[in-house]
């Protein structure tokens, strides 16, 4: 019976082995302590985004000022969370909004529900909706996060705006261009 008690007693550890175990556990923390600190002064300096970053949505226009959206509702069907509402209406000769037979009379995106997956962009047959580089989307109330067609549409091209006599509001988008988004590979292909 005495032999069984001797086998179950823990062996005393030395102080040196305890310190070695502690140092191996703190190895990562100590390594980070001696690396140089990299701080981005956020509102003044912005970190670069990847080329394929998916941020705020934009509804694009053609160069002649017509809206690209033809009201097909494929973006709403592709959205996994159902945050897009599209109500289509028929184009008339007096009120031509898009080049197709129909246009999006109502286009809304609930940005609080959006998961920025990009399925709407992939589903659109005319590349009307794109996800731009803008990521600063905070606001003061929930109602302001429902983006309407007027908020989503990019401004009119300068030559179309000049022809209309400045009747519509327009101007450069958030990135300084008239498209309202960073130029993409699709834009480069369209210019060719």
């Amino acid at each position: 019976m005495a032999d069984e008690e001797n086998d179950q007693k823990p062996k005393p550890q030395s102080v040196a082995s305890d310190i070695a175990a502690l140092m191996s556990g703190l190895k990562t923390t100590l390594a980070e302590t001696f690396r140089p600190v990299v701080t981005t002064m956020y509102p003044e300096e912005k970190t670069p985004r990847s080329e394929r970053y998916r941020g705020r949505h934009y509804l694009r226009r053609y160069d002649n000022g017509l809206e690209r959206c033809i009201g097909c509702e494929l973006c709403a069907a592709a959205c996994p969370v159902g945050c897009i509402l599209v109500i289509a209406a028929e184009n008339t000769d007096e009120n031509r909004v898009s080049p197709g037979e129909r246009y999006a009379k109502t286009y809304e995106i609930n940005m609080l529900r959006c998961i920025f997956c990009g399925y709407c962009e992939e589903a659109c047959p005319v590349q009307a909706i794109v996800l731009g580089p803008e990521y600063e989307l905070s606001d003061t109330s929930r109602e302001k996060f429902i983006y309407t067609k007027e908020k989503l549409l990019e401004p009119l091209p300068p030559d179309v705006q000049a022809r209309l006599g400045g009747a519509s509001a327009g101007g450069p988008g958030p990135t300084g261009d008239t498209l309202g988004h960073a130029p993409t590979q699709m834009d480069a292909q369209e210019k060719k």
Side-chain angles (χ1 to χ4, degrees):
M1 221 173 176
D3 291 335
E4 290 177 11
E5 289 178 14
N6 289 339
D7 289 340
Q8 294 178 356
K9 288 184 182 177
K11 296 180 182 178
Q13 293 184 352
S14 69
V15 174
S17 64
D18 289 343
I19 291 175
L22 180 66
M23 292 307 277
S24 68
L26 292 175
K27 181 173 66 173
T28 303
T29 305
L30 292 172
E32 289 294 322
T33 303
F34 298 110
R35 286 196 178 156
V37 178
V38 178
T39 303
T40 303
M41 305 305 280
Y42 168 59
E44 293 82 24
E45 296 177 24
K46 294 187 168 82
T47 56
R49 300 279 152 237
S50 70
E51 190 175 313
R52 297 176 58 95
Y53 179 79
R54 295 187 298 255
R56 182 190 186 280
H57 300 72
Y58 292 97
L59 281 175
R60 299 177 61 207
R61 295 180 186 265
Y62 286 106
D63 290 335
N64 62 3
L66 290 177
E67 297 172 7
R68 285 181 181 250
C69 183
I70 55 175
C72 66
E73 301 179 32
L74 287 175
C75 55
C79 182
V81 294
C83 66
I84 301 175
L85 169 70
V86 180
I87 299 174
E90 297 291 324
N91 267 323
T92 62
D93 291 333
E94 300 83 37
N95 184 23
R96 173 98 13 219
V97 179
S98 72
E101 295 176 5
R102 301 183 331 161
Y103 71 98
K105 179 179 176 185
T106 303
Y107 197 106
E108 292 180 354
I109 299 179
N110 185 343
M111 297 301 278
L112 293 174
R113 294 183 70 187
C114 181
I115 58 173
F116 300 95
C117 62
Y119 288 173
C120 56
E121 187 176 21
E122 292 175 15
C124 184
V126 293
Q127 290 84 34
I129 187 160
V130 294
L131 278 72
E134 187 178 341
Y135 58 90
E136 297 169 326
L137 303 175
S138 64
D139 220 321
T140 56
S141 70
R142 295 177 67 86
E143 293 79 26
K144 292 182 181 177
F145 282 103
I146 297 177
Y147 285 16
T148 61
K149 181 178 175 181
E150 291 74 30
K151 190 169 183 177
L152 292 167
L153 266 175
E154 65 187 9
L156 286 170
D159 57 334
V160 175
Q161 187 176 355
R163 267 190 281 141
L164 295 175
S168 308
T175 57
D177 65 344
T178 56
L179 294 174
H181 64 280
T184 60
Q185 291 175 351
M186 189 68 73
D187 295 328
Q189 290 173 355
E190 289 176 6
K191 289 182 181 178
K192 288 182 181 178

